[in-house]
Amino acid sequence: MDIRHRIASIAIGLLVSTGATALDVNVVGLFPNKAVVQIEGGALQTLSVGQKTREGIILLSVGRDGATFDIQGRRVELAMGPARRQMSPAAAAQTSPAAESKYAVVRTNERGALVADGEVNGMPVRFAVDTGATFITLPAREASRLGLDYHNGQKVVMETANGNIFAYHLKLDTVSVGDVAVHNVDAVITEGNSLPIALLGMSFLNRTDMKREGTILTLTQRY
């Protein structure tokens, strides 16, 4: 894999100030001749070399661990870092709470799988994103840890690559990843040892707009 496809683990952004204006710029992904940026804590956007944003920021070049920009007439080099979950004060002052987009950024792990840390009913859960799963799917041991009385759910039969297995269908009060929180979510609980990790399936993903950019998946909440 090209080293420019890596996502750095340290957040490094920049607050550029010229006169009465200031811009908060953060680089969250690098690709050949492209960079994924977050400006003023807003939605992620992918820029090609030479492209100019509405804020007047121009991507000049992409390097091994960062990118170079023209920001308000200044040549600035920025290293990569994760997207910010909260908007900067400058952006918050111009955006009403109702208009703020709620989103989550999911990155691939060393094996190339999209893995996200989230919560089920307020308790931490690690998910693997699986667009082939109809529902959020939890192993029975994980459901027990979360205090879910899943045996009261509807018993169903699920087809898997290893044959049919029994599972229990129920509703989860709240599932959240990043800033995205979805309520009354369909889920199934599987017994046995066939599932090593919880799956973030389409019962959650269908309520978001999904955008994949190389090693980054951005989920923006729709409802």
Side-chain angles (χ1 to χ4, degrees):
M1 178 180 294
D2 192 299
I3 197 166
R4 286 175 292 183
H5 287 212
R6 294 184 300 111
I7 302 299
S9 60
I10 301 176
I12 304 178
L14 175 72
L15 185 65
V16 178
S17 178
T18 58
T21 62
L23 287 176
D24 185 17
V25 183
N26 195 36
V27 179
V28 300
L30 295 173
F31 306 91
N33 298 316
K34 292 184 179 181
V36 182
V37 301
Q38 185 183 41
I39 301 171
E40 295 292 340
L44 301 184
Q45 49 186 306
T46 301
L47 301 180
S48 299
V49 170
Q51 185 175 348
K52 185 176 183 179
T53 72
R54 64 181 182 181
E55 296 86 1
I57 297 171
I58 304 172
L59 176 61
L60 299 178
S61 63
V62 177
R64 178 176 179 272
D65 295 311
T68 302
F69 299 85
D70 181 311
I71 302 178
Q72 297 179 333
R74 295 176 56 188
R75 185 182 180 91
V76 179
E77 295 182 2
L78 294 179
M80 288 187 297
R84 308 188 195 284
R85 291 186 57 184
Q86 295 183 346
M87 299 180 70
S88 68
Q94 301 176 11
T95 308
S96 65
E100 293 180 13
S101 296
K102 295 182 178 180
Y103 65 91
V105 177
V106 183
R107 297 177 175 84
T108 57
N109 62 12
E110 64 278 2
R111 297 181 179 179
L114 287 162
V115 177
D117 289 320
E119 293 183 352
V120 171
N121 298 345
M123 296 186 66
V125 175
R126 174 156 289 187
F127 291 104
V129 176
D130 187 352
T131 57
T134 303
F135 305 119
I136 284 181
T137 307
L138 301 172
R141 64 183 181 281
E142 189 79 335
S144 297
R145 182 183 69 83
L146 296 170
L148 300 176
D149 189 8
Y150 63 89
H151 285 106
N152 287 333
Q154 179 186 4
K155 195 170 186 178
V156 296
V157 177
M158 296 180 59
E159 294 182 1
T160 71
N162 297 320
N164 293 341
I165 62 172
F166 288 108
Y168 296 86
H169 176 258
L170 47 74
K171 296 275 190 179
L172 301 175
D173 292 336
T174 305
V175 179
S176 61
V177 176
D179 290 332
V180 178
V182 176
H183 304 286
N184 199 31
V185 187
D186 285 294
V188 289
I189 313 301
T190 62
E191 295 187 318
N193 299 316
S194 60
L195 189 64
I197 188 173
L199 302 180
L200 193 66
M202 295 306 294
S203 57
F204 179 93
L205 298 173
N206 270 340
R207 302 197 202 178
T208 70
D209 290 322
M210 295 182 286
K211 184 177 181 180
R212 179 74 182 265
E213 294 279 359
T215 59
I216 299 175
L217 174 68
T218 304
L219 305 175
T220 304
Q221 187 162 353
R222 291 194 287 122
Y223 63 92

